[in-house]
């Protein structure tokens, strides 16, 4: 059996092993009531450990949770300190102390339950990724849009202005041409004004041509821009993970 296979088997067995620990509550500083209080807190603490999936220790190398109780010198209540050691070495992040002022034994028990639960979480084995099964990164999916799609002309502000100018220019061209080529209407005393009407009609027609030409030019520019934007959008590829 190769070294790598043996290491993988050992790692799998270790990862599946439950956490184990023993609990030692020292309440001797409480005097005559110390042994009874310590026994009750030990029974309650072991129940908390079982609920947190920590089994009883069966080997000297298993963790040891030590809790030391004392009375407060200036108030009614308790002071406690706790540590977790494994093979005589302190487990990182498991040293702490606190006070339970003006509290009963039941309130002290509740505080110790919370502390033991936190310590039990520190004892759980950390899950490590299996080197034999590297994480699979999904390959990017490229969705290409057919290039034969017909670009669509979307009318923007410039195109709208071109349409308006073309319409106004067409109306002006029709009106001016009508005035320029119409038979002069000679009214009594106004015969000299017929030439003026023709000249004005011609000017209106020229202005209409200019407006219509400008409008057509604006629409063509807007159409070319829209087609380029549409082609860039349809010919591009979409990358999704």
């Amino acid at each position: 059996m190769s070294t790598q296979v043996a290491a993988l088997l050992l790692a799998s067995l270790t990862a599946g092993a439950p956490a184990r620990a023993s609990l030692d509550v020292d309440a001797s500083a409480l005097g005559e009531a110390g042994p009874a209080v310590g026994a009750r807190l030990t029974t309650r603490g072991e129940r908390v450990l079982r609920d947190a999936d920590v089994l009883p220790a069966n080997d000297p190398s298993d963790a040891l949770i030590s809790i030391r109780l004392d009375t407060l010198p200036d108030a009614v209540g308790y002071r406690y300190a706790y540590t977790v050691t494994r093979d005589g070495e302190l487990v990182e992040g498991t040293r702490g102390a606190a006070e339970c002022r003006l509290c009963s034994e039941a309130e002290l028990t509740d505080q110790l339950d919370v502390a033991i639960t936190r310590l039990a979480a520190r004892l759980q084995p950390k899950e490590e990724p299996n080197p034999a099964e590297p994480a699979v990164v999904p390959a990017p999916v490229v969705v290409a849009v057919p290039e034969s799609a017909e670009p669509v002309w979307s009318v923007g502000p410039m195109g709208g202005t071109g349409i308006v100018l073309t319409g106004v220019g067409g109306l002006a061209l029709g009106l001016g041409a009508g005035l320029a080529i119409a038979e002069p209407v000679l009214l009594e005393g106004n015969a000299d004004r017929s030439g003026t009407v023709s000249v004005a009609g011609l000017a209106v027609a020229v202005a209409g041509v200019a407006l219509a030409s400008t409008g057509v030019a604006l629409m063509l520019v807007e159409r070319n821009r829209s087609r380029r934007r549409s082609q860039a959008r349809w010919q591009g590829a979409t990358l999704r993970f």
Side-chain angles (χ1 to χ4, degrees):
M1 181 182 295
S2 65
T3 304
Q4 183 178 7
V5 174
L8 291 176
L9 290 177
L10 180 60
S12 62
L13 292 176
T14 304
R20 292 182 176 272
S22 58
L23 177 63
D24 176 30
V25 178
D26 183 2
S28 58
L30 301 182
E32 295 181 357
V37 172
R40 288 193 294 269
L41 294 178
T42 299
T43 302
R44 177 67 173 266
E46 290 177 345
R47 188 184 310 159
V48 173
L49 290 175
R50 301 298 92 79
D51 292 340
D53 297 329
V54 178
L55 300 181
N58 60 359
D59 189 89
S61 62
D62 291 333
L64 171 62
I65 302 175
S66 300
I67 300 177
R68 300 292 178 263
L69 295 177
D70 198 356
T71 56
L72 295 176
D74 57 345
V76 177
Y78 303 90
R79 177 172 54 200
Y80 59 91
Y82 53 84
T83 59
V84 179
T85 57
R86 183 182 283 120
D87 289 333
E89 299 291 335
L90 178 68
V91 178
E92 183 180 359
T94 61
R95 182 189 296 276
E99 293 182 352
C100 183
R101 287 181 171 270
L102 302 177
C103 66
S104 62
E105 182 182 329
E107 293 171 330
L108 172 65
T109 303
D110 292 338
Q111 285 198 18
L112 289 178
D113 287 350
V114 175
I116 294 173
T117 301
R118 288 198 300 263
L119 296 176
R122 292 275 187 177
L123 298 177
Q124 296 298 338
K126 297 180 180 179
E127 296 183 0
E128 298 181 356
N130 190 347
E133 298 179 359
V136 179
V137 180
V141 179
V142 179
V143 180
V145 180
E147 298 183 2
S148 59
E150 182 68 22
V152 180
W153 176 29
S154 60
V155 179
M158 183 180 295
T161 303
I163 293 174
V164 174
L165 290 179
T166 302
V168 174
L171 291 177
L173 175 61
L175 178 61
L179 293 176
I181 65 177
E183 290 292 333
V185 180
L186 301 180
L187 301 178
E188 183 178 357
N190 294 317
D192 56 340
R193 295 185 181 179
S194 60
T196 303
V197 173
S198 297
V199 172
L202 183 60
V204 172
V206 172
V209 172
L211 290 175
S213 300
T214 302
V216 171
L218 290 177
M219 286 190 295
L220 290 176
V221 171
E222 179 71 11
R223 182 173 182 273
N224 290 334
R225 289 182 178 178
S226 178
R227 287 174 65 90
R228 286 195 297 268
R229 289 194 299 267
S230 179
Q231 287 175 350
R233 183 173 62 253
W234 284 98
Q235 292 179 0
T238 302
L239 186 62
R240 298 184 303 180
F241 291 92

